[in-house]
Amino acid sequence: MSEGSGSGFKARSIAAPVTAGDPVAATTMQGLAVRWRLWRSRQIASPAFRNLMSRLPLTRWIANRKANHLFRLTTGFVHSQILWLCNETGLFQMLSDKALTTAELAVQCDFPQDRMQLLLEQAERLDLVCRAGPDLWMLADAGAVLAADRGLREMIRHHDILYRDLGDPRPLWREAASETELRHYWAYVRGNRPEDMPDVSVAPYSALMRESQAMLADCLLASHDFGRYTSLLDLGGGEGAFLRAVGERHPALKLQLFDLPAVADRARQHLALSGLADRSRVHAGNFVADPVPGDADCVTLVRILCDHDDDRVRQILTNLRGQLAPGTTVVVAEAMAGPTEGARLAAVYFSAYFRAMGSGRCRSVAEIRDLLHDAGFRNSRHEITTNPLLATIVVAEA
Ligand SMILES: C[S@@+](CC[C@H](N)C(=O)[O-])C[C@H]1O[C@@H](n2cnc3c(N)ncnc32)[C@H](O)[C@@H]1O
C-alpha cells in the first residue's frame, strides 16, 4: 500500500481555542465549532457532494483518500489475517537474505502452489513482499523488519488468542472482565495471590515478553541515559531481557530484578546464561504488597502499569514509594496515549487488548503523572522516545 494504515486517521478535534477566563466566549466558540462541524458532516453525507468532489480533479485525491481510509478501517482485519498467515507459514524467514520463486516458496511453506501465488499477491499488495522479477519474490521493508525481529513475529502469532476473544466485542467493551483467553494467558491479572503461580502459568507470557523486548529496549536505551545511574532495579522485569540490554550497554551499572517467584526463577536462569549472574540480584515477591529492595538509584517499570486498573496501580506505586530512598529515580516506560500517529495507533490497539485482558488500560502521560504524584512521587516529567508506538517515558523522583 502506498499509504500507511494511519493515513486519513487524523482525529481533528473541534474543541474551541482556549479562551481562559471568558466562559461566554468559550461557549460561543464551541457553539460555532459544533455548527461548522454539523454543516460539514451534512455536506459529506450527501452523495451529490461526494460525486462532485470525486469529479473535480483538485478534490478527487482528497475524496479517494477519505474513501480508502474508510475502506481500510472496514477491512483492516483481513490485512491482519493475511499478515498472520504469512507469519505462520514462515514466509518472512524464508525470504530473509534471498529471492525465491513461487514454486520454491510453496514447497518450503508447505502450501499448494496456486494458493501460494494468491497469498504472495496479497502480501505484495500489503507491502510485505515485492517482486524482483515476474516470478521472483523478495521482502519489502515491512517484511524485512519482520524477518529480523522474532519478538514482532511472536506478538503477531499470539494474536490468534486475541482474535478469538474479539469474536464478540460487545461484552468486552460493555461489561466487567469475563473469562477470556487473554485473561488466562496473562495469569497474574486473575486471582489475589499471583505469587503462588506455578511455572506453567508464567512460561508463555514470560517467553513472549523476553522475545518482544529487543526492539523496545533499543528504543528505551536510545531515549534515556541509564548510564547516569549506579544501580538499577527493573520492577516486574520478567526474564531479564531489558536488564540484560541495559547491563550490556552500561557495564558499570549494578543490576537488580524483581518479579513473581516463578518468573524470578526464569530470570535467574536467563541472566546466568547471559553471563550476568555475578552482576545481578534477582528478588522474588508480589510488588503490590511485599518489600521491594530500596537501594537502587533507578527503578524501571517497563510495560507494568498498563496491565493494571487504577486502584492496583496506586497500590503498586504506594508500596514502591514506601521502600525507596528520597531522590531515587523512577522510570515508567510503556505505550501511552498521545497526539502522535504512533501513540494514537498504540492507544487504539492497547485499549482493545486490555479490554480483552480484563485489566489495565493505555494511559496518557498526564494520567501516569497523576498516579505517580498520588503515590508520593514528585518532579515528574515526560520524555519522548525514538518510537512513541512502542513507548513513552515518564520519569519521577521518590
Ligand atoms: C507485561 S510483563 C512486562 C515484563 C517486562 N517488564 C518487559 O517489559 O518485558 C509484566 C511483568 O510483571 C510481572 N508481575 C505481574 N504482577 C506482579 C506482581 N504482583 N508482583 C511482581 N511481579 C508481577 C509479571 O510476572 C511480568 O513479568
Side-chain angles (χ1 to χ4, degrees), residues 3 5 9 114 195 209 268 354 369:
E3 295 176 328
S5 58
F9 193 74
D114 57 337
E195 61 270 41
M209 289 294 93
R268 282 187 198 97
F354 292 129
R369 291 179 64 180

Side-chain angles (χ1 to χ4, degrees), residues 109-128:
C109 294
D110 191 22
F111 237 62
Q113 191 171 328
D114 57 337
R115 297 303 157 87
M116 192 76 233
Q117 176 76 25
L118 190 63
L119 182 61
L120 285 163
E121 284 166 3
Q122 312 326 308
E124 182 185 26
R125 291 176 178 129
L126 293 175
D127 258 351
L128 294 167

